[in-house]
């Protein structure tokens, strides 16, 4: 643990703040994020979040905050007054840009007409709605708190009040056919949202989903079908003018997530709350993954954070991993400038195998994945990592 002096080095430039809200109504079967279904400590935790923001303000003393992102968990469980308290804490302790992107992750069952109206009158200007599927069978399999009707109703109302909306969809769900997946996409497109995030259902260890699959209660995820559904999604959204700017994200022009884009481009961010991660370019930190321990530490003016200083090789590997997921790719010029010719030569040598397989290509001094290689980008990136530490 660190005392109240900021643990990460101070920075200059532009950055973001992520606020983790570790509460949910119920546990989704596939989720391995940190959360609690008990709200007993909610008031104490919100006070601790506001205090952590104050304790860490020196880290961003010469930095302009361009994005504020409420993630979780389920941030929409907080009242507007509670959200406003945390937004006020950011403005009180940090330099904030004139028109920051302020995103709230929300579940459909929390987005009543009244709640949407309240949010529309708040500083929050972007909603990320966890739809996941418009089919009751999928929602029950995943143990989502909302139903099909709530998913559709909240979108029909939210799109009247918010211009900047993203919705989440999950593909590769056991038992969900390609035809059903196509219907999911068409329903989503019917609401004219400008951004869609979509992820393959992943079986994480120690989740209920993993247990059900091991016991034969639910059939295992079919990777081949997930691959097919990824391409169905990509082709259909691009037909509608969406830009596939990151492996799991599609946005209309002008509607890319500024928060997520900053992460993929290696910009710094402070993560506030239990289990939240922070990054400043050379150091990575992560808070304790326990609500009670987090609250107790903050109450004693201690920051419950562990810090890792990244080696040159770590920084290179991280840049390769994030860069290959995006349309911007990996800049060979940046690799040479930041890491040296040895790293650039190594990258090109390793990449040649995948270039010959038509999974990677070089254009305008940028290494990018081909359409064929997109679904495999994380695996390809790991093959380009440099293993020796420096």
């Amino acid at each position: 643990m660190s005392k109240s002096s900021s643990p990460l080095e101070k920075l200059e430039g532009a950055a973001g703040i992520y606020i983790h809200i570790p509460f949910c109504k119920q546990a989704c079967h596939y989720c391995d994020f940190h959360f609690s279904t008990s709200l007993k400590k909610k008031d104490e935790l919100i006070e601790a979040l506001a205090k952590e923001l104050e304790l860490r303000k020196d880290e961003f003393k010469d930095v302009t905050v361009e994005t504020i992102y409420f993630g979780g968990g389920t941030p929409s469980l907080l009242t507007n007054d509670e959200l406003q308290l945390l937004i006020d804490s950011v403005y009180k302790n940090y330099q904030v840009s004139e028109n920051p992107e302020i995103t709230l992750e929300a579940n459909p069952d929390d987005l009543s007409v009244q709640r949407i109206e309240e949010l529309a009158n708040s500083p929050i200007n972007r909603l990320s709605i966890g739809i996941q599927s418009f089919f009751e069978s999928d929602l029950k399999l995943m143990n989502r708190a909302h139903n099909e009707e709530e998913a559709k109703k909240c979108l029909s109302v939210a799109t009247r009040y918010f211009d900047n909306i993203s919705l989440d969809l999950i593909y590769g769900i056991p038992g969900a056919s390609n035809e059903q997946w196509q219907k999911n996409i068409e329903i989503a497109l019917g609401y004219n949202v400008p951004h869609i995030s979509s992820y393959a259902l992943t079986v994480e260890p120690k989740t209920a989903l993993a247990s059900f699959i091991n016991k034969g209660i639910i059939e295992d995820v079919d990777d081949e079908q997930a691959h097919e559904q990824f391409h169905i999604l990509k082709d259909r959204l691009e037909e509608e003018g969406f830009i596939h700017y990151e492996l799991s994200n599609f946005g209309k022009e002008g509607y890319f997530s500024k928060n997520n884009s900053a992460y993929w481009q290696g910009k710094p961010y402070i993560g506030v709350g239990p289990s939240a991660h922070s990054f400043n370019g050379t150091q990575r930190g992560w808070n304790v993954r326990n609500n009670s321990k987090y609250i107790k530490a903050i109450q004693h003016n201690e920051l419950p954070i562990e810090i890792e200083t990244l080696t040159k090789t770590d920084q290179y590997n991280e840049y390769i991993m994030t860069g290959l997921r995006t349309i911007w790719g990996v800049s060979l010029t940046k690799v040479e400038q930041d890491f040296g010719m040895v790293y650039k030569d190594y990258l090109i040598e390793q990449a040649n195998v995948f270039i010959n397989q038509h999974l990677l290509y070089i254009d305008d001094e940028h290494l990018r994945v081909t359409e064929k290689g997109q679904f495999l980008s994380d695996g390809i990136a790991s093959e380009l990592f440099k293993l020796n530490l420096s």
Side-chain angles (χ1 to χ4, degrees), residues 174-188:
S177 66
N178 289 354
E179 290 72 26
Q180 182 169 308
W181 175 237
Q182 288 171 327
K183 289 179 182 177
N184 254 324
I185 298 168
E186 295 306 321
I187 294 170

Side-chain angles (χ1 to χ4, degrees), residues 200-241:
L201 183 65
T202 304
V203 184
E204 300 290 351
K206 299 181 181 179
T207 59
L209 178 62
S211 175
F212 293 150
I213 289 174
N214 290 335
K215 293 175 182 177
I217 298 172
I218 294 175
E219 62 183 280
D220 203 352
V221 171
D222 184 336
D223 290 338
E224 186 175 331
Q225 185 176 55
H227 194 175
E228 291 174 5
Q229 293 182 356
F230 167 79
H231 284 287
I232 289 170
L233 174 75
K234 172 182 166 60
D235 292 346
R236 185 68 186 97
L237 293 189
E238 287 182 345
E239 284 177 5
E240 293 296 320

Side-chain angles (χ1 to χ4, degrees), residues 86-347:
L86 295 172
I87 293 170
D88 289 344
S89 295
V90 174
Y91 273 86
K92 178 182 176 182
N93 294 291
Y94 300 82
Q95 299 176 46
V96 181
S97 65
E98 186 175 342
N99 185 31
E101 176 188 88
I102 305 180
T103 301
L104 177 75
E105 288 185 356
N107 278 355
D109 45 300
D110 295 325
L111 294 179
S112 64
V113 175
Q114 180 182 346
R115 186 70 200 281
I116 292 170
E117 289 175 345
E118 290 174 353
L119 290 169
N121 289 317
S122 79
I124 291 163
N125 51 32
R126 184 174 185 269
L127 293 181
S128 177
I129 305 176
I131 299 293
Q132 316 308 357
S133 176
F134 292 98
F135 287 86
E136 209 67 41
S137 57
D138 295 343
L139 297 172
K140 287 180 179 177
L141 181 147
M142 293 185 284
N143 200 39
R144 295 291 293 169
H146 69 277
N147 58 38
E148 176 185 344
E149 181 182 348
E150 287 170 322
K152 293 176 178 177
K153 183 177 180 181
C154 83
L155 279 173
S156 65
V157 177
T159 50
R160 298 206 304 265
Y161 288 88
F162 282 86
D163 170 58
N164 199 352
I165 292 177
S166 176
L167 62 82
D168 288 355
L169 293 176
I170 290 180
Y171 58 89
I173 299 171
S177 66
N178 289 354
E179 290 72 26
Q180 182 169 308
W181 175 237
Q182 288 171 327
K183 289 179 182 177
N184 254 324
I185 298 168
E186 295 306 321
I187 294 170
L189 289 172
Y191 293 98
N192 294 315
V193 295
H195 191 280
I196 292 176
S197 296
S198 191
Y199 309 90
L201 183 65
T202 304
V203 184
E204 300 290 351
K206 299 181 181 179
T207 59
L209 178 62
S211 175
F212 293 150
I213 289 174
N214 290 335
K215 293 175 182 177
I217 298 172
I218 294 175
E219 62 183 280
D220 203 352
V221 171
D222 184 336
D223 290 338
E224 186 175 331
Q225 185 176 55
H227 194 175
E228 291 174 5
Q229 293 182 356
F230 167 79
H231 284 287
I232 289 170
L233 174 75
K234 172 182 166 60
D235 292 346
R236 185 68 186 97
L237 293 189
E238 287 182 345
E239 284 177 5
E240 293 296 320
F242 284 82
I243 300 167
H244 188 201
Y245 70 101
E246 192 273 340
L247 180 63
S248 302
N249 287 271
F250 302 79
K252 293 287 183 73
E253 193 165 342
Y255 288 94
F256 295 1
S257 167
K258 292 179 181 178
N259 174 82
N260 294 350
S261 296
Y263 165 71
W264 298 313
Q265 292 172 351
K267 293 183 179 180
Y269 57 91
I270 287 178
V272 174
S275 82
H277 283 232
S278 304
F279 178 68
N280 70 2
T282 59
Q283 294 174 304
R284 185 169 295 288
W286 55 95
N287 286 352
V288 65
R289 191 181 168 105
N290 180 289
N291 290 359
S292 296
K293 289 180 179 178
Y294 170 81
I295 292 168
K296 184 176 180 181
I298 297 294
Q299 287 174 342
H300 287 84
N301 292 322
E302 295 176 342
L303 292 168
I305 187 170
E306 289 186 51
I307 299 167
E308 173 190 19
T309 297
L310 303 177
T311 65
K312 186 176 181 179
T313 299
D314 292 334
Q315 294 173 52
Y316 162 84
N317 290 344
E318 188 145 322
Y319 176 55
I320 299 302
M321 174 63 79
T322 55
L324 281 188
R325 291 179 63 96
T326 71
I327 57 170
W328 305 289
V330 172
S331 167
L332 299 179
T333 302
K334 177 179 171 62
V335 170
E336 181 180 348
Q337 289 174 346
D338 292 358
F339 306 105
M341 277 301 300
V342 171
Y343 282 81
K344 180 180 178 181
D345 290 343
Y346 174 84
L347 174 58

